[in-house]
Amino acid sequence: MQAWLEHVWYAGTPPPWWLRPWSLLYAGAAGLRRLSYARRWRAATRLPAPVLIVGNLSVGGTGKTPLVHWLVERLRERGLRPGIVSRGYGGSTAAVRLIDAADDPGVVGDETVLLATRTQAPVAVGRDRPAAARLLTEAGCDVIVSDDGLQHYALARDCEIVVVDGERRFGNGWRLPAGPLRESPARLRSADAVVVNGGASPDGRPRTARALEGALTMRLEGDCAVSVHGAERRPLADFAGREVHAVAGIGNPERFFELLRVHGISITRHPLPDHARLRSEDISFPDEHPVLMTEKDAVKCRELSAPRHWYVPVTASFETGASKQLMEIVMRAIERRRARA
């Protein structure tokens, strides 16, 4: 079903007629919900610490999680104590709780375990985002970074950063389920910053940034592989010219596959649904070729791994000017909040 829907969303053809009424209903419900908070018919929770939202307009991977990691590191460099709040997608728990890197991704979510591992920052999960974020302030965090949550208006925010996939953009432009959008692209006008992930034209310039006025450009970089079974690191260049199995259970698996191809690696593709719970048969193959997977997948198969299993960590990267501009936007939002306190 997910594969069929993504074909509908990104194939460049109109969606089936029978999906369109559902999209209109979805758009109406989402708009009414946002209006209810804007008009204060429903109250948003304002925490004692500034809240930064990193979200998107569409379902699926746009690069939010690597950007959250990047942002947490930049905030630390400025002497702040950031914490991360997440819904815990892919996990079974609805409870509000703090997590750590040793938690089961099947319970608390794969992206939250990945962030806890990479950032070593406090991470809280739960369907009640305000309550989860409150755990972070009680733990001593002085700024909250929300991984996703753009449409979760119950948590008042001081800065919104919207990430756009530079390749897939907004798909066919329809709302769910006829298209991939949660909100209209017009929503970008109210965001504090728009970040375009990838999507370069042949001359190396970002296509989407030209179409989105004021957008900043980001790319995901990865040049090494880390053993899932241990701690060994190898440059991706070591796999060039070799046959490997590429496993990706993320929102846009093709981005991971293209990263490997750019490094000269010959791959057999194994795309999986986003947040898929991995089984042994998902990463075990009858030959002896190495298996390269995303870091998000690796946290879910530590007990299933063998020496031939590797993951490829990626990091968000900006041009110097874009990096500085984004942090100026973020720090201004934090200072505004402090001035009102």
Side-chain angles (χ1 to χ4, degrees), residues 288-307:
E288 296 302 318
H289 297 323
V291 180
L292 299 182
M293 66 185 71
T294 72
E295 188 173 12
K296 181 169 148 180
D297 294 309
V299 300
K300 296 179 288 189
C301 62
R302 294 165 177 161
E303 304 302 319
L304 306 175
S305 65

Side-chain angles (χ1 to χ4, degrees), residues 84-215:
I84 302 167
V85 64
S86 172
R87 165 64 179 81
Y89 289 108
S92 61
T93 185
V96 172
R97 54 172 290 195
L98 292 172
I99 73 155
D100 60 44
D103 275 315
D104 181 356
V107 175
V108 301
D110 46 21
E111 289 173 345
T112 53
V113 173
L114 187 158
L115 283 167
T117 303
R118 286 288 295 270
T119 67
Q120 298 297 302
V123 179
V125 299
R127 290 182 183 175
D128 186 340
R129 287 177 190 261
R134 194 175 291 111
L135 290 180
L136 296 171
T137 60
E138 293 170 356
C141 297
D142 55 11
V143 59
I144 308 301
V145 182
S146 177
D147 182 23
D148 207 0
L150 184 66
Q151 291 79 28
H152 293 267
Y153 296 105
L155 179 60
R157 66 281 314 268
D158 301 283
C159 182
E160 292 181 339
I161 303 170
V162 181
V163 187
V164 176
D165 186 323
E167 292 290 344
R168 302 198 298 182
R169 297 196 59 185
F170 309 118
N172 59 14
W174 281 77
R175 306 289 184 88
L176 291 166
L181 294 181
R182 297 164 172 165
E183 295 185 274
S184 163
R187 174 72 168 80
L188 296 177
R189 292 196 291 267
S190 63
D192 296 276
V194 177
V195 175
V196 176
N197 177 21
S201 61
D203 64 2
R205 298 176 62 191
R207 290 193 297 260
T208 312
R210 290 207 296 266
L212 300 177
E213 183 179 356

Side-chain angles (χ1 to χ4, degrees), residues 20-329:
R20 301 178 195 183
W22 296 104
S23 291
L24 296 176
L25 288 172
Y26 181 93
L32 182 60
R33 186 172 187 275
R34 185 182 180 208
L35 180 65
S36 70
Y37 283 100
R39 295 289 179 86
R40 298 185 180 179
W41 301 334
R42 301 174 71 176
T45 299
R46 176 73 66 180
L47 295 180
V51 174
L52 316 176
I53 302 288
V54 180
N56 60 11
L57 301 184
S58 58
V59 298
T62 58
K64 297 186 309 298
T65 300
L67 180 54
V68 168
H69 177 213
W70 181 92
L71 185 57
V72 166
E73 293 302 313
R74 303 293 83 74
L75 292 169
R76 276 189 178 140
E77 291 170 359
R78 287 159 174 78
L80 296 166
R81 300 184 302 279
I84 302 167
V85 64
S86 172
R87 165 64 179 81
Y89 289 108
S92 61
T93 185
V96 172
R97 54 172 290 195
L98 292 172
I99 73 155
D100 60 44
D103 275 315
D104 181 356
V107 175
V108 301
D110 46 21
E111 289 173 345
T112 53
V113 173
L114 187 158
L115 283 167
T117 303
R118 286 288 295 270
T119 67
Q120 298 297 302
V123 179
V125 299
R127 290 182 183 175
D128 186 340
R129 287 177 190 261
R134 194 175 291 111
L135 290 180
L136 296 171
T137 60
E138 293 170 356
C141 297
D142 55 11
V143 59
I144 308 301
V145 182
S146 177
D147 182 23
D148 207 0
L150 184 66
Q151 291 79 28
H152 293 267
Y153 296 105
L155 179 60
R157 66 281 314 268
D158 301 283
C159 182
E160 292 181 339
I161 303 170
V162 181
V163 187
V164 176
D165 186 323
E167 292 290 344
R168 302 198 298 182
R169 297 196 59 185
F170 309 118
N172 59 14
W174 281 77
R175 306 289 184 88
L176 291 166
L181 294 181
R182 297 164 172 165
E183 295 185 274
S184 163
R187 174 72 168 80
L188 296 177
R189 292 196 291 267
S190 63
D192 296 276
V194 177
V195 175
V196 176
N197 177 21
S201 61
D203 64 2
R205 298 176 62 191
R207 290 193 297 260
T208 312
R210 290 207 296 266
L212 300 177
E213 183 179 356
L216 306 174
T217 58
M218 176 185 89
R219 62 184 181 276
L220 299 182
E221 298 182 339
D223 58 6
C224 73
V226 182
S227 172
V228 181
H229 199 61
E232 182 185 357
R233 301 177 73 91
R234 294 175 60 181
L236 281 181
D238 286 0
F239 298 88
R242 300 177 60 184
E243 295 282 343
V244 309
H245 293 280
V247 176
I250 56 177
N252 185 2
E254 290 301 325
R255 181 182 289 121
F256 178 67
F257 299 149
E258 182 59 24
L259 170 66
L260 301 183
R261 292 189 192 103
V262 165
H263 284 83
I265 303 172
S266 179
I267 67 170
T268 299
R269 300 164 63 259
H270 300 279
L272 297 170
D274 196 13
H275 303 293
R277 295 195 178 190
L278 297 187
R279 304 162 298 173
S280 178
E281 53 265 38
D282 293 321
I283 61 171
S284 300
F285 307 101
D287 53 48
E288 296 302 318
H289 297 323
V291 180
L292 299 182
M293 66 185 71
T294 72
E295 188 173 12
K296 181 169 148 180
D297 294 309
V299 300
K300 296 179 288 189
C301 62
R302 294 165 177 161
E303 304 302 319
L304 306 175
S305 65
R308 69 168 174 156
H309 293 108
W310 304 79
Y311 69 86
V312 180
V314 296
T315 57
S317 176
F318 292 86
E319 297 295 332
T320 301
S323 171
K324 180 180 178 181
Q325 187 176 350
L326 180 57
M327 287 310 301
E328 286 176 349
I329 292 170

